[in-house]
Amino acid sequence: MVATPSSSFTLITMMLPGPDRKRIPSPYHFRVTYRNPNPGETGCIVTWEVRGGREQYQISLERTDDDALVWHCTCPDAVYHADYRHACGCKHVQGIKQVFESIGNPVGRLSARAVA
Ligand SMILES: [Zn+2]
C-alpha cells in the first residue's frame, strides 16, 4: 500500500526556540511523511519529518488500544521526558499541537482524551 503522493507535499513552517543556548527563534519545517488512510484505527496515524534544529527528527502520533492519542518525537528532549506520556517537554510536539489548536485538529475530535 502506498500513501497518496499528494500528502507528501504537506509542509508547515513555524518559528520555535532555536537549538543554540540563547534559543533564538528559528524556522522549523514539518513535513508529513506518512498518513494512515484509516486514522480511526489503532497504531500510527501520521508522522512528520522535522528539519531546522541540529538534527532531523521524526514526530509520530499514535492511537493506542484504549483510544488515547500519544505523541512521539525522536529528539533528546522528548526522550528525556519520556516519562510524560505526551512528550510535553518537546518543543516540536508543542509546536505542532499549537498549529492544530489554531486551525482545528481533525484527529483530536475523534478522542476527547487526547487533550493533555
Ligand atoms: Zn522533539
Side-chain angles (χ1 to χ4, degrees):
M1 296 294 281
V2 179
T4 311
S6 62
S7 69
S8 65
F9 294 113
T10 303
L11 179 68
I12 297 170
T13 300
M14 69 181 87
M15 301 297 282
L16 292 174
D20 61 344
R21 278 176 162 271
K22 292 180 179 173
R23 295 172 69 83
I24 297 169
S26 311
Y28 282 74
H29 311 284
F30 294 73
R31 190 170 70 89
V32 173
T33 52
Y34 170 78
R35 191 190 295 271
N36 192 325
N38 301 303
E41 292 181 353
T42 51
C44 183
I45 299 171
V46 59
T47 63
W48 289 267
E49 174 188 275
V50 184
R51 292 170 186 264
R54 285 198 185 89
E55 295 176 41
Q56 181 180 317
Y57 302 119
Q58 190 179 347
I59 292 176
S60 60
L61 179 61
E62 177 197 0
R63 183 182 301 281
T64 62
D65 289 339
D66 56 357
D67 205 32
L69 297 179
V70 181
W71 294 87
H72 302 276
C73 182
T74 58
C75 79
D77 276 351
V79 172
Y80 180 76
H81 291 281
D83 289 343
Y84 302 102
R85 208 167 170 225
H86 297 277
C88 308
C90 162
K91 65 187 177 189
H92 311 111
V93 170
Q94 286 178 337
I96 204 148
K97 282 168 108 173
Q98 277 174 17
V99 171
F100 284 141
E101 282 165 11
S102 52
I103 65 174
N105 180 2
V107 177
R109 278 202 298 271
L110 297 173
S111 173
R113 276 179 289 174
V115 178

